Amino acid sequence: MTTQVPVKNIPPIEAEQLSHVQSATKDCTVTQLAWLSGYFWGMVHQEKNNQSADQLKLTTPPAVTIISASQTGNARHLGEQLRTECLAEKLNVNHIHAGDYKFKHISREKILILITCTQGNGEPPEEAVALYRFLMSKKAPAMNSIAFAVFGLGDSSYELFSQAGKDFDKILAELGAQRLLDRVDADVEYSDQAHTWFIKLITILKKRVLLASCQMDHAITDQINTISCMTYTKNQPLKARLLVNQKITGRGSQKDVRHIEIDLMHSNLRYEPGDALGVWFENDTALVQELLALLSLTGQEPVLVKGNNLPISEALQKHFELTVNTPKIVESYARLSHSDYLLTQINNKDASLQKYAQKTPIVDMIRSSKSQISAEALISILRPCTPRLYSIASSQAENINEVHITVSVVRFRVDGRDRAGGASSYLADHVGIGDEVRIFIETNDNFRLPKNSSTPIVMIGAGTGIAPFRAFMQQRECEKATGKNWLFFGNPCFTEDFLYQVEWQRYIKDGLLTRIDLSWSRDQNQKIYVQDKIRANGRELWSWIEEGAHLYVCGAANYMAKDVEKALLEVIIKFGEINEAEANDLLNDLRIQHRYQRDIY
């Protein structure tokens, strides 16, 4: 699509209109002008979405439905990619995010394609929980008239690899749906598998579905062009400058948490509270050299990476994951090294192999079972480097050209040697102020403030899970929101681990933060967590829910989030005076209404 260049120095607005704008904004502060900039951008964005939706309404209902169930954005991007490729083949298709899908009408589908990731301990992504529970319940309908296919995304460093994809695939078949194509369980490097699967799928679909209306062509063309105009993405990140790297835990804390600020440099990169920041990182040079020395490699050996010949040292620093081990890597290295110890580990084929991979970094695995393998053999067993996602801790209404994140630096010791997480140590230790960081925005429409700013909100977070709530408060302050705000926050110690303490105290003093309940697990003999504070304030929390409050949870999926949900159910049962099944239904209804939203990891 081409755009005509406007005549130089002639604004695209009438003089009278410009005068009205100048008059209306002359008394605005810098913060208010920044907010208006984002507001007008949002209006334009919404108008485009409405036009696109109106064009699709004019066509016949799509014969193929693609549902993407995403936690970090990968499944969503694959859904968009598959839709674009189907449209190019003149297939009648629609792509829907799982959180927006009317799952109770699923029996009306003819062809259903599900692309899903797995999060936590083998669970479906947050936006697909309601769909998952519906399909697993007695309310799930027969699906004998539906044909389906499932593409699963996962991470083989976790024990229940791609479990959500396996579960969806199994239950759809059990409900009577016909499988179009075998399920794929893709690891973090999924591009090639997705490409091959898409080709096979489209070949099958072309035999079953034809484009119903030429009118769709115009909508397709416009939307494909819109997609291609995206500026900064995972594969085309913005190179932005690091502005601030500040430790915000005390000297006596067992955690090293950093407040990171990054300059967006008038890039027009837009984000909303609830979104995540994707950060590409490079491995520590010292770690690369240690690994090369263990394998008796000089670092100059050439290897082929994405069609380019690079020295192995550069390839390891910039292109491969060195800080996360997996059972697959252990198995591959065991066979290359012929290590008796590692071969024994993989022959067990039980949870011990998973535990070994999680506890033993790649470099320490190689140290314990030294072998001389070639540079090519080494990179053949490694996974490609992938960006890390961090919940954004700022509102663009307040920080128009900045984005803030809260990073807990992973540090530990193995056999007396210091080890660290790849991305967190990169940001904390290896990027200097003013240095470039490659970033992109990962939108999260399933963690959004209420559209009505008078709606009360309850924020529940532990550790760095407080990050998005800092963004929420900045946004509510800029909007002059009248809704009540309640924060539950937990960490080990009050004096060492109260993240953004001064800011929260100011919000309390100014009246923006209505209530704050803090839990410090190590400040007394009996550990106290956020879920304990939820139970202790159950009656008041139930009254907020009855008033229409939105509930938000941010933190670790396997522990904190599960314990918080259990506490919420107990509160609903006790003060709502209903049974467990009814409480589960109520909480699920809140999820469907986007009144119960979680950002868990």
Side-chain angles (χ1 to χ4, degrees):
M1 178 182 292
T2 58
T3 304
Q4 186 176 359
V5 178
V7 179
K8 188 176 181 180
N9 296 329
I10 298 180
I13 186 172
E14 297 291 338
E16 186 177 352
Q17 291 176 311
L18 182 60
S19 176
H20 287 317
V21 172
Q22 291 172 336
S23 175
T25 59
K26 66 180 181 180
D27 295 326
C28 289
T29 64
V30 172
T31 298
Q32 289 169 331
L33 288 171
W35 182 86
L36 285 170
S37 173
Y39 173 77
F40 288 130
W41 175 88
M43 286 178 63
V44 172
H45 183 69
Q46 184 62 44
E47 181 63 26
K48 287 181 178 178
N49 285 345
N50 290 341
Q51 290 174 359
S52 194
D54 289 341
Q55 285 175 314
L56 287 178
K57 286 176 183 176
L58 294 173
T59 65
T60 57
V64 179
T65 298
I66 302 169
I67 300 176
S68 61
S70 193
Q71 191 72 21
T72 63
N74 291 334
R76 185 182 310 120
H77 296 323
L78 280 182
E80 292 169 356
Q81 179 185 333
L82 177 58
R83 175 181 174 276
T84 300
E85 293 183 15
C86 285
L87 292 173
E89 295 294 332
K90 298 190 181 298
L91 292 167
N92 196 2
V93 65
N94 191 24
H95 172 216
I96 304 174
H97 300 169
D100 299 325
Y101 183 63
K102 307 286 189 204
F103 56 83
K104 292 183 180 179
H105 299 162
I106 193 169
S107 60
R108 301 177 185 177
E109 302 291 355
K110 297 302 179 185
I111 299 177
L112 184 67
I113 312 301
L114 178 64
I115 302 174
T116 181
C117 70
T118 296
Q119 59 101 4
N121 189 27
E123 298 170 351
E126 189 63 23
E127 67 171 336
V129 170
L131 170 62
Y132 178 85
R133 291 183 176 175
F134 175 72
L135 292 177
M136 294 293 180
S137 72
K138 294 179 180 179
K139 299 177 182 178
M143 298 188 182
N144 304 84
S145 61
I146 298 176
F148 79 97
V150 174
F151 189 93
L153 292 165
D155 185 335
S156 60
S157 65
Y158 289 87
E159 183 177 356
L160 297 176
F161 168 57
S162 196
Q163 189 61 46
K166 296 172 183 175
D167 289 346
F168 275 118
D169 184 75
K170 179 182 178 184
I171 191 61
L172 287 171
E174 290 177 348
L175 291 170
Q178 172 197 354
R179 188 179 284 108
L180 285 170
L181 187 63
D182 287 342
R183 184 192 73 250
V184 167
D185 300 320
D187 209 336
V188 291
E189 180 57 22
Y190 54 81
S191 299
D192 290 344
Q193 284 178 287
H195 177 69
T196 301
W197 195 79
F198 286 1
I199 291 174
K200 292 179 180 177
L201 178 64
I202 289 172
T203 300
I204 294 170
L205 293 178
K206 284 171 70 175
K207 297 176 181 178
R208 305 179 63 130
V209 182
L210 293 175
L211 190 62
S213 171
C214 62
Q215 189 173 13
M216 173 91 59
D217 285 331
H218 301 291
I220 292 167
T221 303
D222 289 342
Q223 289 168 31
I224 290 176
N225 286 334
T226 300
I227 291 169
S228 68
C229 289
M230 293 178 65
T231 307
Y232 303 111
T233 64
K234 176 181 176 181
N235 296 322
Q236 293 181 314
L238 170 69
K239 294 180 180 178
R241 293 186 304 114
L242 181 70
L243 293 176
V244 174
N245 172 4
Q246 177 185 1
K247 186 177 181 183
I248 55 175
T249 43
R251 292 181 181 178
S253 176
Q254 295 182 356
K255 299 181 178 183
D256 179 358
V257 177
R258 303 297 177 99
H259 172 71
I260 302 289
E261 297 184 6
I262 297 172
D263 184 7
L264 299 181
M265 304 178 297
H266 303 282
S267 62
N268 291 322
L269 194 71
R270 298 291 179 181
Y271 64 86
E272 296 182 49
D275 288 341
L277 186 74
V279 179
W280 285 98
F281 68 97
E282 295 182 6
N283 289 305
D284 182 9
T285 303
L287 176 63
V288 172
Q289 293 303 317
E290 181 181 357
L291 184 59
L292 292 171
L294 289 172
L295 295 170
S296 301
L297 296 171
T298 67
Q300 297 305 309
E301 293 84 355
V303 292
L304 190 66
V305 180
K306 297 181 179 178
N308 298 314
N309 279 309
L310 300 176
I312 181 66
S313 58
E314 181 181 346
L316 292 178
Q317 185 171 1
K318 298 181 179 180
H319 297 283
F320 290 94
E321 177 67 72
L322 298 183
T323 55
V324 177
N325 203 353
T326 70
K328 185 177 179 180
I329 292 174
V330 177
E331 290 184 32
S332 299
Y333 183 70
R335 295 191 173 94
L336 284 173
S337 64
H338 305 291
S339 164
D340 291 337
Y341 175 72
L342 293 181
L343 289 170
T344 300
Q345 291 285 327
I346 67 174
N347 287 335
N348 288 336
K349 289 294 182 184
D350 57 18
S352 63
L353 176 59
Q354 186 74 33
K355 291 178 181 177
Y356 175 82
Q358 289 177 339
K359 293 172 60 177
T360 313
I362 294 169
V363 66
D364 295 295
M365 174 187 71
I366 292 175
R367 181 182 297 280
S368 67
S369 303
K370 287 185 181 180
S371 176
Q372 288 190 339
I373 64 173
S374 68
E376 292 87 348
L378 173 61
I379 67 167
S380 72
I381 69 173
L382 298 176
R383 303 197 303 176
C385 188
T386 55
R388 302 295 194 262
L389 296 179
Y390 295 97
S391 298
I392 292 176
S394 57
S395 163
Q396 206 162 22
E398 182 170 318
N399 307 276
I400 188 169
N401 287 318
E402 296 176 6
V403 61
H404 304 171
I405 54 176
T406 312
V407 179
S408 181
V409 189
V410 177
R411 302 192 192 279
F412 56 102
R413 290 177 68 82
V414 178
D415 296 331
R417 296 180 177 84
D418 290 329
R419 300 298 181 207
S424 62
S425 65
Y426 171 74
L427 289 168
D429 305 331
H430 305 303
V431 182
I433 302 302
D435 288 349
E436 282 187 351
V437 183
R438 293 174 296 152
I439 62 170
F440 59 96
I441 300 299
E442 192 61 63
T443 58
N444 184 2
D445 292 332
N446 296 294
F447 204 74
R448 290 283 188 251
L449 281 166
K451 292 180 180 179
N452 186 342
S453 63
S454 66
T455 302
I457 65 171
V458 178
M459 303 166 285
I460 306 167
T464 56
I466 202 170
F469 303 139
R470 180 178 184 263
F472 280 12
M473 287 297 93
Q474 289 184 2
Q475 185 73 23
R476 300 273 267 191
E477 184 174 45
C478 288
E479 291 179 352
K480 300 188 183 304
T482 58
K484 297 186 297 182
N485 305 293
W486 185 353
L487 174 69
F488 289 90
F489 174 66
N491 235 354
C493 301
F494 169 75
T495 57
E496 309 292 337
D497 303 305
F498 192 172
L499 306 183
Y500 303 110
Q501 178 181 354
V502 173
E503 294 181 28
W504 293 114
Q505 288 175 333
R506 179 178 69 81
Y507 287 141
I508 283 285
K509 181 180 178 181
D510 293 347
L512 181 66
L513 188 60
T514 312
R515 284 196 58 163
I516 186 169
D517 282 275
L518 306 170
S519 54
W520 311 107
S521 59
R522 302 298 188 272
D523 276 353
Q524 60 285 311
N525 292 331
Q526 183 179 1
K527 294 180 180 178
I528 301 175
Y529 297 103
V530 286
Q531 57 266 28
D532 299 313
K533 290 291 184 177
I534 288 171
R535 293 186 182 95
N537 294 277
R539 186 179 297 280
E540 179 69 10
L541 180 57
W542 174 246
S543 71
W544 279 51
I545 294 173
E546 286 189 306
E547 289 175 27
H550 286 217
L551 310 177
Y552 301 89
V553 180
C554 186
N558 289 343
Y559 302 103
M560 177 265 187
K562 286 187 175 181
D563 291 337
V564 165
E565 182 155 314
K566 181 180 178 182
L568 289 173
L569 285 169
E570 290 175 14
V571 167
I572 293 170
I573 291 169
K574 181 176 180 180
F575 297 102
E577 298 180 348
I578 56 178
N579 60 38
E580 184 177 352
E582 291 170 329
N584 272 295
D585 287 343
L586 188 151
L587 196 60
N588 206 41
D589 286 342
L590 293 180
R591 193 192 306 270
I592 294 168
Q593 298 165 28
H594 299 291
R595 284 184 54 197
Y596 175 45
Q597 301 179 50
R598 303 193 304 173
D599 180 9
I600 58 179
Y601 41 84

